[in-house]
């Protein structure tokens, strides 16, 4: 039996635009197609900064994801050379790309705030039941944020994002109320160094 590993395809426009790469109503179609084809957990985060596709699989589906995305955008009259596509197939590569992403976001506070709101809304609305992939992503994001927290130039900028991520994770899991309160007290801002 092969082990499913977290992989990702990050797609962004070569020029920053204040619009989504694909509309919100196209995301469920793409998600359904990818889930049925990959036969595993898939998560699509669609923000103004780009489209992030995370999936758990022992096989690499980079070409399928890229071609599916390009098919959707070609129907909107957008050429393939307008996009930057980065595929990563190991957990270490995903961590490195996420770290670069958070570092870039921390230099743009207003964009980081908008990105955070959109990300948390999508996670809460669409992926709260997809516990396997969300738990893996939460752990990865949190580990990356802890590393960045050790660098003072990033720590203040990512503090709110980290706290919101922790709270969303707590809300998505059905912990015993007493246990949940203990966790909330332990991650309270007063206890953070």
């Amino acid at each position: 039996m092969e082990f499913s590993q977290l992989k990702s395809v990050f797609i962004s426009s070569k020029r920053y635009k204040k619009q989504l790469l694909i509309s919100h109503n196209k995301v469920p179609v793409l998600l359904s197609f990818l889930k049925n084809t990959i036969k595993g957990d898939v998560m699509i985060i669609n923000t103004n900064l780009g489209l992030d596709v995370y999936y758990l699989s022992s096989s690499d589906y980079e070409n399928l994801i890229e071609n599916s995305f390009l098919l959707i955008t070609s129907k909107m009259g957008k050429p393939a050379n307008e996009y930057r596509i980065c595929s990563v197939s190991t957990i270490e590569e995903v961590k490195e790309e996420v770290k670069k992403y958070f570092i870039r976001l921390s230099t743009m506070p207003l964009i980081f705030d908008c990105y955070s709101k959109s990300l948390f809304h999508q996670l809460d609305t669409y992926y709260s039941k997809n516990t396997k992939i969300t738990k893996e992503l939460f752990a990865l994001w949190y580990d990356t944020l802890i590393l960045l927290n050790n660098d003072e130039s990033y720590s203040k900028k990512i503090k709110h994002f980290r706290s919101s991520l922790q709270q969303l994770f707590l809300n998505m899991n059905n912990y015993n109320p007493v246990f949940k309160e203990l966790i909330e007290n332990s991650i309270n801002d007063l206890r953070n160094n």
Side-chain angles (χ1 to χ4, degrees), residues 15 17 20-21 27 48 50 53 55 57 68 73 78 106 108 126 132 139 147 151 158 163 167 169 179 191 193:
R15 294 172 281 140
K17 298 177 179 178
L20 300 171
L21 296 184
V27 173
N48 287 0
V53 181
Y55 62 100
S57 177
S68 301
T73 57
K78 297 180 180 178
S106 70
M108 305 175 283
Y126 305 115
K132 190 172 182 181
L147 285 174
D151 185 332
I158 62 166
S163 297
Q167 192 59 51
F169 184 75
F179 186 58
R191 298 192 186 276
N193 292 332

Side-chain angles (χ1 to χ4, degrees), residues 28 38 166 191:
I38 293 172
Q166 290 170 328
R191 298 192 186 276

Side-chain angles (χ1 to χ4, degrees), residues 12-157:
S12 61
S13 178
K14 289 184 178 174
R15 294 172 281 140
Y16 177 70
K17 298 177 179 178
K18 293 183 180 182
Q19 62 186 20
L20 300 171
L21 296 184
I22 62 173
S23 66
H24 282 301
N25 60 0
K26 301 266 191 243
V27 173
V29 174
L30 179 60
L31 182 63
S32 176
F33 171 74
L34 292 176
K35 277 184 171 182
N36 289 332
T37 307
I38 293 172
K39 305 243 185 290
D41 289 322
V42 179
M43 178 184 288
I44 298 176
I45 303 296
N46 187 26
T47 68
N48 287 0
L49 296 178
L51 190 80
D52 303 340
V53 181
Y54 298 97
Y55 62 100
L56 290 172
S57 177
S58 55
S59 302
D60 186 359
Y61 288 98
E62 171 190 359
N63 290 332
L64 173 75
I65 294 167
E66 182 178 337
N67 291 332
S68 301
F69 169 79
L70 293 174
L71 178 63
I72 290 171
T73 57
S74 70
K75 289 184 175 185
M76 300 175 344
K78 297 180 180 178
N81 64 359
E82 189 174 311
Y83 303 101
R84 189 178 302 112
I85 300 174
C86 173
S87 177
V88 292
S89 56
T90 67
I91 196 74
E92 292 78 22
E93 291 174 325
V94 175
K95 282 182 183 180
E96 189 57 36
E97 285 304 312
V98 166
K99 182 178 176 184
K100 288 180 200 173
Y101 204 63
F102 283 144
I103 288 172
R104 194 176 93 201
L105 281 171
S106 70
T107 64
M108 305 175 283
L110 291 175
I111 293 174
F112 198 179
D113 189 45
C114 292
Y115 170 81
S116 302
K117 287 177 185 173
S118 178
L119 173 69
F120 293 141
H121 172 73
Q122 289 177 63
L123 287 171
D124 190 38
T125 305
Y126 305 115
Y127 301 109
S128 60
K129 303 292 183 233
N130 193 347
T131 57
K132 190 172 182 181
I133 198 165
T134 52
K135 283 181 181 177
E136 203 157 325
L137 273 173
F138 274 88
L140 184 140
W141 288 336
Y142 193 74
D143 287 348
T144 304
L145 292 169
I146 291 298
L147 285 174
L148 291 176
N149 191 55
N150 294 332
D151 185 332
E152 285 187 36
S153 59
Y154 304 118
S155 63
K156 290 180 183 168
K157 296 170 186 169

